């Protein structure tokens, strides 16, 4: 049986308004993202981090869960909903995000 993939993406965003807007965009991602006409993301959410030096400047964590690696690859390379989030966040983030994938 294939394992689901959980992906955590950590961003360094200094503007609290941008963080809140990103959280809103991730809150609708499971409905907005479609592959072959169907919703394919199992779970999507985002939250601001606590103000803690151990966060190393990361201020937003996004969590997405996929049923398969092919779904995650589609998300990375072809998903219009994900591309819209990337277009919004990329110019507002300090450096590339930290992305961690793991089996659930």
């Amino acid at each position: 049986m294939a394992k689901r993939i959980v992906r955590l993406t950590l961003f360094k965003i200094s503007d609290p308004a941008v963080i809140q807007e990103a959280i809103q965009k991730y809150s609708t991602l499971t409905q907005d993202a479609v592959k072959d006409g169907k919703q394919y993301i199992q779970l999507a959410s985002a939250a601001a981090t606590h103000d803690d030096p151990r966060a190393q400047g990361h201020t937003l964590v996004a969590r997405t869960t996929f049923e398969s690696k092919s779904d995650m690859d589609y998300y990375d390379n072809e998903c219009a909903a994900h591309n819209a989030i990337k277009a919004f966040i990329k110019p507002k983030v300090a450096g590339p995000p930290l992305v961690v994938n793991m089996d659930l």
Side-chain angles (χ1 to χ4, degrees), residues 14-16 21 37 42 44 51 65-66 95:
S14 60
D15 186 340
E21 190 167 345
Q42 304 297 306
D51 185 17
T65 304
F66 304 94

Side-chain angles (χ1 to χ4, degrees), residues 54-66:
R54 294 173 292 182
Q56 299 180 24
H58 293 98
T59 56
L60 176 70
V61 178
R63 177 182 174 176
T64 46
T65 304
F66 304 94

Side-chain angles (χ1 to χ4, degrees), residues 56-95:
Q56 299 180 24
H58 293 98
T59 56
L60 176 70
V61 178
R63 177 182 174 176
T64 46
T65 304
F66 304 94
E67 201 60 42
S68 66
K69 182 170 183 325
S70 67
D71 284 349
M72 186 176 68
D73 291 343
Y74 178 85
Y75 178 75
D76 279 335
N77 302 310
E78 300 179 52
C79 180
H82 184 220
N83 285 336
I85 291 174
K86 288 192 287 189
F88 168 73
I89 289 178
K90 191 172 184 176
K92 299 166 176 78
V93 64

Side-chain angles (χ1 to χ4, degrees), residues 5-50:
I5 298 172
V6 175
R7 174 186 188 133
L8 300 176
T9 306
L10 289 77
F11 300 95
K12 294 178 180 180
I13 302 172
S14 60
D15 186 340
V18 172
I19 293 169
Q20 287 307 309
E21 190 167 345
I23 290 169
Q24 177 58 38
K25 290 181 182 302
Y26 273 98
S27 74
T28 63
L29 186 59
T30 56
Q31 293 85 20
D32 299 341
V34 292
K35 176 183 173 188
D36 300 326
K38 299 177 186 173
Q39 297 169 337
Y40 72 98
I41 297 175
Q42 304 297 306
L43 175 118
S45 63
T49 62
H50 290 276

